[in-house]
Amino acid sequence: MNLLQIQDKVWSQACLGACAPHLEEKLSPPVPSCSVVGAISSYYVQRYGFPPGCKVVAFTGDNPASLAGMRLEEGDIAVSLGTSDTLFLWLQEPMPALEGHIFCNPVDSQHYMALLCFKNGSLMREKIRNESVSRSWSDFSKALQSTEMGNGGNLGFYFDVMEITPEIIGRHRFNTENHKVAAFPGDVEVRALIEGQFMAKRIHAEGLGYRVMSKTKILATGGASHNREILQVLADVFDAPVYVIDTANSACVGSAYRAFHGLAGGTDVPFSEVVKLAPNPRLAATPSPGASQVYEALLPQYAKLEQRILSQTRGPPE
């Protein structure tokens, strides 16, 4: 599917030509994800007992299927807080960049989705917990509760392994005057980590064309989604309510939803109508009063510091 011109929904002639001669002849024309492409093969009827009338709906990838499984809507974000952190974004007007991935939206053929991966996720959070608050998640939560939004201007970048987005390694701490410092007090360190992780997610999401809307909601999953104080920082940084959902096997669930969508009428029926009876997510956190002003001021500062670190680690251009 990397051969697809996502705006026009046709195969890219340049990409086809770079891969193999006569490749287009071997590929079927691309169709919307909710299209019925035919009946199941007789092989599966005979071997596995599928009914002969079983319809096949166009395939999609595991990440787009996860977007369907989490039932994202226009303006929504899904955040998976695991070993690596992953962001799924619903986009109207994508701005492709060298970082992240842009796909066709699997449930709305007129829109797009983006995927961003951040390698330093839960293992980084566990390291800072062990070093700063005596290996206690309870004390980690108390540190977030006891420190103010914006952390008094103290900002941190924590990448013990080479990060994917952005390509930086190491720990970098900056005080209120944007001077680099060697260490923070334990509670400041905890907030600097969590705020930094979520500010980076918002900055890079906006770099791909995402914009927070008045109806935006964030769907959180993964181990850290069980920590209410972490979710509160997420709600504050994005200025949007955070919900939690059980998304075990979300790609499989999304594929089932998409098959149902195809059988229900495809592009003539909104995906939201097909899944309206599915369980609703649970509200976990709403933005704190004043959060918008705090982070609208901090986000540009954080982005500038990130670029400063990148320029220093990459060195001058050859």
Side-chain angles (χ1 to χ4, degrees), residues 21-22 37 137 161 192:
H22 313 299
V37 294
W137 282 120
V161 295

Side-chain angles (χ1 to χ4, degrees), residues 149-170:
M149 287 186 297
N151 211 17
N154 295 296
L155 301 174
F157 300 77
Y158 299 84
F159 309 123
D160 278 10
V161 295
M162 178 62 77
E163 187 50 79
I164 301 168
T165 314
E167 200 172 333
I168 295 174
I169 193 168

